[in-house]
Amino acid sequence: MRALPVGERALLLEVASGEEAQSLHAELVRRRAEGLLSAAEIVPAARTVLLDGLADPARLARELTSWRVPPVPPREERVVELPVRYDGPDLDAVAAAWDVTAREAARLHAATEFRVAFCGFAPGFGYLTGLPAHRHVPRRATPRTAVPAGSVALAGPYTGVYPRSSPGGWQLIGTTDAVLWHHARVPAALLSPGTRVRFVPEGAG
Amino acid sequence: MTDHAFCVVRAGALTTVQDEGRPGHAHLGVPRSGALDAPAAALVNRLVGNAPGAAVLETTLSGCALRPRSEVTVAVGGAPCPVTVDGRAVAWGAPVRVPGGALLDVGPASAGVRAYVGVSGGVAVEPVLGSRSTDLLSGLGPAPLTDGAVLPLGPPAGVPARVDGAPQPRPPAELVLRVALGPRDDWFAPAALRVFTRGTYRVSSASNRIGLRTEGPALERARTGELPSEGMVLGAVQVPPDGRPVVFLADHPTTGGYPVIGVVRTADLAAAAQAVPGTPLRFVPAGRR
């Protein structure tokens, strides 16, 4: 693990893999909950966790070297099930990239257990990992100017759901009616880092 | 309908409700938001007897005009500008009583960009995740003001300050931003780092609450390829593919995939919020703590 100073009050912790980042994030959240760490923000991302609002980043950077972080993240009890219709305009292209039929692509996606690696892009947008490397697909060459809210989409190692309509370059494979974000709900975000997620095809229950 | 409210007579180019923002939710993709010139917002609150976190109005260049339904105390700070009540000039940077039904006009900034209008009791729109701030990146919080809108005000909590005026920094003629290099300064060639810390930039007119954009020499990367998305802090100087540094302000995205060459000291961001387009800009290395 590398600890890179970020300005006066933050540290960027860099690790070798996405799974390590998820594990480190879980450990940091645990330590903060137990009062062993004081940080205003703990922001996981692809290969890093950002700690912001630290009283003494240099001291924490030194202490971190002696931490033992479990190699895999703990499994949360809660699983969020997202109802889905595999009706996206890019489903055929994704199926072709996977060398299967569209029906089989939908089945493979719904059979995967996902985990929210991190959030970003928009409130409530989670970057979900779980697809094996040979199922990763590139972004579209030309982004769409408007992706409808509720679109279930793939890019690189990630699956995501657009919480609201926005421009986007991910490959759209389906649609969900789940409300990913509602500012007046508690919690406002349906998905947060660490949440386990399953997509449940509508009519399959 | 409450009689404790502002009627918006002239919304101005961009006037938003701002307080101290909603930090602590970056892991959900929620920007911090909040007043760009935080000391100015805290000052106008103090002048009208509010707690520092009360919601104020942040105007952009052209000011705004408001009609309170009942008597209020207001204070205007940040960017210097003419202030009138029913056409009569009143003090800028000091508490002013505005009778119910009178017209408070906050004129165009004579220098700087953003004026702050504090009002006794604060603007009392419904908070979202603990904050009343308008976040222009994600759309959280109240929409920017529009002509004819009605803004509820809170009950006055404190006693206005007994001062004729309070010292406020002048908007910068030259913006000097102290920067701690990193975390991704190693993505740039030594020559680019020299350009960054010795070159002269100008504040771009494309700047907004998300970021202060710059015009000037492009910073060449030493590495190609993509940086995996990583968390971003307030004041981060991100370098997009065009090579022109962008200083992240309050509505910045919580994660980003362009390398951050350095981070501006928080204390310097108020001046950044008041630098008009065209202002000369230098980035000066400041040691890490």
Side-chain angles (χ1 to χ4, degrees):
Chain A
M1 181 183 3
R2 283 210 302 164
L4 305 170
V6 180
E8 303 153 88
R9 290 275 177 268
L11 280 181
L12 186 68
L13 309 181
E14 188 174 42
V15 293
S17 71
E19 187 165 60
E20 275 184 61
Q22 294 181 33
S23 182
L24 176 61
H25 170 255
E27 177 71 9
L28 291 163
V29 168
R30 184 188 71 78
R31 285 181 182 250
R32 182 166 67 174
E34 290 178 5
L36 303 171
L37 170 72
S38 175
E41 306 270 13
I42 302 178
V43 189
R47 297 276 184 280
T48 57
V49 182
L50 174 73
L51 297 174
D52 198 1
L54 298 170
D56 191 345
R59 190 173 136 196
L60 182 61
R62 287 192 300 273
E63 288 175 7
L64 282 166
T65 54
S66 65
W67 286 17
R68 285 176 54 193
V69 179
V72 288
R75 231 160 151 253
E76 277 191 14
E77 284 299 307
R78 194 172 73 106
V79 181
V80 171
E81 297 196 335
L82 299 177
V84 62
R85 297 182 295 282
Y86 285 102
D87 58 1
D90 301 325
L91 182 62
D92 287 340
V94 168
W98 290 1
D99 203 17
V100 297
T101 63
R103 195 185 165 87
E104 179 65 2
R107 194 194 65 76
L108 287 167
H109 190 262
T112 305
E113 182 172 302
F114 293 93
R115 189 175 191 280
V116 181
F118 60 99
C119 297
F121 174 62
F125 186 94
Y127 291 78
L128 278 51
T129 51
L131 286 174
H134 64 283
R135 303 278 183 227
H136 297 178
V137 294
R139 283 179 166 75
R140 285 168 52 84
T142 311
R144 290 183 169 88
T145 52
V147 173
S151 294
V152 177
L154 304 185
Y158 304 115
T159 291
V161 181
Y162 285 77
R164 60 192 169 120
S165 176
S166 61
W170 291 31
Q171 308 224 35
L172 311 185
I173 62 166
T175 313
T176 180
D177 294 330
V179 178
L180 276 286
W181 174 266
H182 192 284
H183 66 81
R185 182 177 64 191
V186 178
L190 189 59
L191 309 180
S192 58
T195 306
R196 288 159 65 200
V197 180
R198 251 187 242 120
F199 290 89
V200 179
E202 279 183 9
Chain B
M1 193 179 268
T2 172
D3 66 348
H4 209 51
F6 266 150
C7 300
V8 179
V9 177
R10 178 176 65 84
L14 173 67
T15 302
T16 59
V17 177
Q18 296 296 337
D19 55 18
E20 291 172 328
R22 46 183 76 82
H25 305 283
H27 62 291
L28 301 176
V30 176
R32 68 168 55 222
S33 194
L36 288 202
D37 184 346
L43 175 73
V44 296
N45 271 328
R46 197 162 70 238
L47 289 173
V48 299
N50 288 345
V56 304
L57 297 178
E58 179 182 280
T59 72
T60 312
L61 293 169
S62 63
C64 66
L66 308 157
R67 201 186 291 281
R69 286 197 176 140
S70 54
E71 183 178 284
V72 293
T73 301
V74 303
V76 181
C81 58
V83 183
T84 63
V85 173
D86 279 342
R88 279 181 301 112
V90 297
W92 173 90
V96 172
R97 277 188 178 190
V98 183
L103 182 68
L104 168 70
D105 191 273
V106 178
S110 55
V113 179
R114 295 173 173 95
Y116 291 84
V117 184
V119 56
S120 47
V123 178
V125 295
E126 201 57 37
V128 174
L129 297 180
S131 167
R132 299 183 165 91
S133 289
T134 300
D135 169 1
L136 294 178
L137 181 75
S138 70
L140 296 184
L145 268 57
T146 52
D147 293 354
V150 175
L151 290 174
L153 302 177
V159 180
R162 283 190 198 161
V163 292
D164 296 329
Q168 294 192 54
R170 293 282 306 169
E174 182 195 29
L175 183 59
V176 179
L177 299 177
R178 291 168 295 170
V179 176
L181 290 179
R184 300 295 177 191
D185 48 326
D186 59 344
W187 277 58
F188 298 88
L193 289 171
R194 276 197 301 279
V195 169
F196 176 56
T197 54
R198 292 183 198 166
T200 296
Y201 288 85
R202 281 184 187 278
V203 174
S204 160
S205 58
S207 302
N208 54 27
R209 283 186 45 83
I210 298 163
L212 180 108
R213 292 177 180 274
T214 63
E215 291 162 359
L219 301 178
E220 209 175 312
R221 280 197 202 167
R223 296 188 194 185
T224 53
E226 273 185 71
L227 181 69
S229 275
E230 59 191 29
M232 291 285 141
V233 299
L234 184 67
V237 184
Q238 207 189 44
V239 183
D242 74 1
R244 267 82 190 187
V246 178
V247 181
F248 273 171
L249 303 179
D251 289 355
H252 71 85
T254 56
T255 59
Y258 299 129
V260 170
I261 191 170
V263 179
V264 173
R265 291 255 180 117
T266 308
D268 293 353
L269 293 175
Q274 297 295 0
V276 295
T279 302
L281 160 63
R282 284 188 296 129
F283 294 98
V284 177
R288 284 177 179 150
R289 283 159 33 89

